[in-house]
């Protein structure tokens, strides 16, 4: 191995968004061979947006192995990942539903919630995981409305639309978990719009916890640091991907399997019944305050 190879974290690679799991080198670890459930989500019914790949896939595997029935959404370009995910859920022996949906549309978000409730027979846990970013060197002068629309609608509008549609179905003891980011605390200038959505998600998480607490619904977020998922080679320049995660105190990127247990904890009425309005960092050591 040359000096150059040793200084790399990941081999050079690039994909078009949204990106596919099978094209990643190495393929991420979603806990397929390691996650052991202990009935912590027995009988729960969960909807996970963007559950075909990355963190969402690891959360879906963990939830199913903890005893939950799982519905997940995916984009049309992600059919291959969605099929793999459905096969993994089938193995877990729980009821599962794969819903093709571009969430940048209110009616689609309403339909996703309605289909989940109809096909699983209810909804107890909403995981607002789907998200989009596109790293750009250009400054604010160059940012286009099209780019802002894609980022703000995917990351924020969809979260509001899905949450609004879900609340009518969520009984006391239910949980909402939003996927935030280290970018909410330590923003990269190349991710100006994305980082702003994640700060807004933290704010909305605390505020929704206050609004929905009287209904017995807990609302929390997880703020991951650099995690090895298709989003990265699909939206970051090749040099960034090679060094991805090296700047953390632990000195490496995390795997989706290392994030999923936090989503299990926050969903569990047994473990987290008094945890609401918090953001749990899974950052490899970077500060989340
Ligand atoms: P990923 O690419 O595996 O998952 C993102 C998913 O979002 C995609 O699978 C896709 O299905 C969904 N999505 C994107 N645009 C959509 C749209 N318009 N409609 C419906 N679904 C759409 O990558 P990931 O890293 O696992 O991302 C999951 C979440 O984690 C995102 O919210 C992301 O911001 C967050 N996150 C990731 C990292 C990281 O380093 N990977 C760090 C912090 C936060
Ligand atoms: Mg995907």
């Amino acid at each position: 191995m040359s000096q150059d190879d040793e200084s790399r974290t990941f081999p050079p690679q690039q994909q078009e968004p949204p990106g596919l799991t099978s094209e990643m080198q190495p393929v991420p670890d979603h806990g397929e061979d390691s996650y052991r459930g202990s009935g912590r989500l027995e009988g729960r019914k969960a909807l996970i947006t963007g559950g075909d790949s990355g963190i969402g896939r690891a959360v879906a595997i963990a939830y199913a192995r903890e005893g939950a029935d799982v519905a997940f959404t995916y984009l049309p370009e992600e059919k291959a990942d969605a099929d793999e995910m459905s096969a993994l859920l089938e193995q877990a022996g729980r009821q599962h539903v794969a819903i093709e949906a571009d969430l940048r549309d209110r009616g689609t978000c309403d339909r996703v919630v309605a289909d989940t409730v109809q096909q699983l027979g209810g909804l107890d846990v909403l995981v607002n995981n789907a998200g989009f970013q596109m790293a750009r060197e250009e400054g604010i002068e160059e940012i286009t409305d099209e780019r802002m629309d894609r980022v703000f609608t995917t990351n924020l509008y969809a979260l509001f639309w899905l949450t609004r549609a879900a609340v009518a179905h969520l009984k006391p003891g239910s949980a909402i978990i939003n996927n935030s980011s280290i970018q909410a605390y330590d923003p990269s200038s190349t991710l100006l719009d994305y980082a702003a959505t994640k700060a807004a998600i933290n704010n909305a998480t605390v505020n929704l916890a206050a609004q929905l607490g009287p209904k017995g619904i807990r609302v929390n977020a997880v703020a991951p640091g650099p995690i090895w998922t298709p989003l990265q080679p699909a939206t970051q320049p090749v040099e960034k991907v090679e060094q991805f995660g090296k700047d953390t105190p632990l000195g490496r990127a995390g795997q989706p399997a290392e994030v999923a247990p936090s989503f299990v904890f926050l969903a569990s009425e047994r473990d987290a019944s008094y945890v609401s309005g918090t953001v749990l960092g899974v950052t490899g050591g970077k500060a989340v305050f």
Side-chain angles (χ1 to χ4, degrees):
M1 198 184 261
S2 72
Q3 179 101 47
D4 202 34
D5 286 338
E6 278 171 22
S7 66
R8 280 184 189 144
T9 303
F10 295 103
Q13 58 196 291
Q14 202 82 100
Q15 292 195 45
E16 285 299 309
L20 286 175
T21 306
S22 58
E23 291 178 24
M24 294 182 74
Q25 302 169 42
V27 168
D29 176 7
H30 310 93
E32 291 90 340
D33 298 326
S34 56
Y35 196 91
R36 303 272 173 275
S38 58
R40 292 202 291 172
L41 302 178
E42 204 66 58
R44 305 278 263 177
K45 297 170 192 309
L47 168 61
I48 303 167
T49 61
D52 57 287
S53 60
I55 296 167
R57 181 186 287 205
V59 172
I61 291 171
Y63 277 20
R65 293 186 186 177
E66 294 288 357
D69 295 330
V70 173
F72 72 92
T73 72
Y74 64 98
L75 288 166
E77 306 95 298
E78 300 174 312
K79 179 80 170 70
D81 271 347
D83 287 348
E84 277 179 25
M85 187 64 238
S86 294
L88 284 158
L89 292 172
E90 187 68 31
Q91 282 166 23
R94 303 300 316 181
Q95 217 188 322
H96 57 93
V97 188
I99 306 173
E100 184 189 299
D102 188 327
L103 300 169
R104 286 175 291 173
D105 171 72
R106 178 175 54 79
T108 304
C109 290
D110 289 346
R111 170 178 66 82
V112 164
V113 170
D115 284 0
T116 300
V117 169
Q118 201 211 348
Q119 297 198 53
L120 296 185
L123 181 63
D124 309 295
V125 181
L126 171 64
V127 180
N128 287 307
N129 168 71
F132 182 70
Q133 65 176 28
M134 182 51 77
R136 293 257 196 267
E137 289 303 328
E138 309 94 69
I140 182 79
E141 302 92 330
E142 310 297 333
I143 199 165
T144 63
D145 289 358
E146 188 195 12
R147 172 184 157 172
M148 285 193 288
D149 278 348
R150 182 162 179 180
V151 171
F152 287 126
T153 311
T154 308
N155 298 5
L156 270 182
Y157 274 76
L159 183 146
F160 275 72
W161 286 328
L162 288 159
T163 303
R164 185 173 66 188
V167 161
H169 304 282
L170 298 175
K171 299 193 178 63
S174 297
I176 299 171
I177 305 156
N178 300 322
N179 204 332
S180 176
S181 172
I182 185 67
Q183 288 291 325
Y185 305 90
D186 183 15
S188 303
S189 61
T190 55
L191 295 172
L192 182 72
D193 46 359
Y194 173 84
T197 66
K198 295 302 183 176
I201 287 171
N202 283 355
N203 183 285
T205 297
V206 174
N207 211 343
L208 280 168
Q211 264 195 23
L212 299 177
K215 292 184 195 288
I217 302 167
R218 297 179 297 103
V219 187
N220 293 288
V222 175
I227 308 300
W228 186 236
T229 70
L231 186 68
Q232 300 305 334
T235 64
Q236 296 277 9
V238 70
E239 327 78 67
K240 272 272 170 61
V241 174
E242 284 177 12
Q243 300 299 317
F244 189 59
K246 271 197 150 177
D247 64 341
T248 61
L250 291 181
R252 64 171 178 86
Q255 293 293 326
E258 296 178 287
V259 186
S262 294
F263 282 85
V264 172
F265 166 69
L266 292 171
S268 165
E269 230 354 58
R270 196 168 84 192
D271 297 335
S273 55
Y274 202 58
V275 181
S276 193
T278 201
V279 183
L280 184 50
V282 186
T283 61
K286 288 207 168 185
V288 287
F289 52 77

